[in-house]
Amino acid sequence: LSLLDASCVAPPPDLDAAFVRSFAIVAAGRARRVEVVPSLLALLDSKDRVLRVDAAESVALLTNIDVDGKWDDDAAAEAHAKGRLAYEDLWRKFGKSPRDMWLAEGFRRAGFRVRALDRTSVWELVRATAGGGHVGMNARDALARIADEPPVPRSMSTTDACGYYAWFFNARRRKFR
């Protein structure tokens, strides 16, 4: 987490501090731990567009919830503030709840009937893989965990991922009802 704070970054002379921070922000999002969300929320007001967008994408990936903060628009300070407040409200509501609760809420907000990330929601999660973005990536990860299989490559298209998981779970339909 200390790399998310600019005052702690002391990269080697041949590396740019902003690049190191950006890398740390992306890594925080991929770590799948909601504990970093408050540190990432603090970056949503950043004047540095790259850091702001990376932080917003990491928060969306971690929480499975995207608020429209117009993060890539430097002139949208009001939208940034509204987006940050929306995420802060969600943090107050869910806080350090298990990440699965955040993910299930994100799937519901995206229009999928996911009660829990378990076999009872497999078919909705298969549908969610076609959604792309953080919703599709989180659905792929959840399905891989439920199947006890490695996840499909991130480079696989949403159509192919959806088709693969539909085939996989249909072939094992009795187990995943």
Side-chain angles (χ1 to χ4, degrees):
L1 288 178
S2 63
L3 285 177
L4 301 180
D5 177 12
S7 64
C8 294
V9 176
D14 58 333
L15 280 180
D16 176 30
F19 171 78
V20 173
R21 285 188 78 203
S22 180
F23 186 81
I25 292 165
V26 171
R30 294 200 176 170
R32 312 287 198 266
R33 300 186 54 89
V34 295
E35 294 88 348
V36 300
V37 168
S39 296
L40 292 169
L41 294 181
L43 297 170
L44 295 179
D45 293 329
S46 176
K47 300 223 182 294
D48 183 323
R49 186 186 64 77
V50 173
L51 295 180
R52 185 176 60 243
V53 168
D54 286 346
E57 288 174 356
S58 289
V59 171
L61 184 63
L62 284 168
T63 65
N64 207 30
I65 299 169
D66 189 17
V67 299
D68 186 17
K70 298 185 179 14
W71 309 111
D72 60 346
D73 184 353
D74 288 332
E78 187 176 321
H80 302 163
K82 286 173 92 172
R84 180 178 173 171
L85 287 174
Y87 274 132
E88 288 172 346
D89 287 344
L90 287 166
W91 182 256
R92 280 189 285 283
K93 181 177 179 180
F94 294 106
K96 292 184 181 178
S97 299
R99 184 163 180 260
D100 282 3
M101 289 183 69
W102 285 90
L103 296 177
E105 178 66 18
F107 288 124
R108 286 189 292 272
R109 287 174 182 241
F112 300 101
R113 294 181 309 272
V114 174
R115 291 184 308 130
L117 301 185
D118 60 21
R119 62 191 185 97
T120 64
S121 297
V122 160
W123 299 109
E124 282 298 292
L125 291 168
V126 168
R127 269 189 350 110
T129 61
H134 63 88
V135 171
M137 285 296 136
N138 284 322
R140 291 177 185 205
D141 291 345
L143 289 168
R145 192 175 70 193
I146 292 166
D148 196 25
E149 295 278 327
V152 297
R154 291 195 182 278
S155 60
M156 183 181 278
S157 74
T158 56
T159 303
D160 289 344
C162 185
Y164 170 76
Y165 282 118
W167 166 82
F168 180 91
F169 287 105
N170 194 42
R172 296 151 183 84
R173 194 171 199 74
R174 289 179 197 247
K175 185 177 177 183
F176 297 104
R177 284 187 187 183

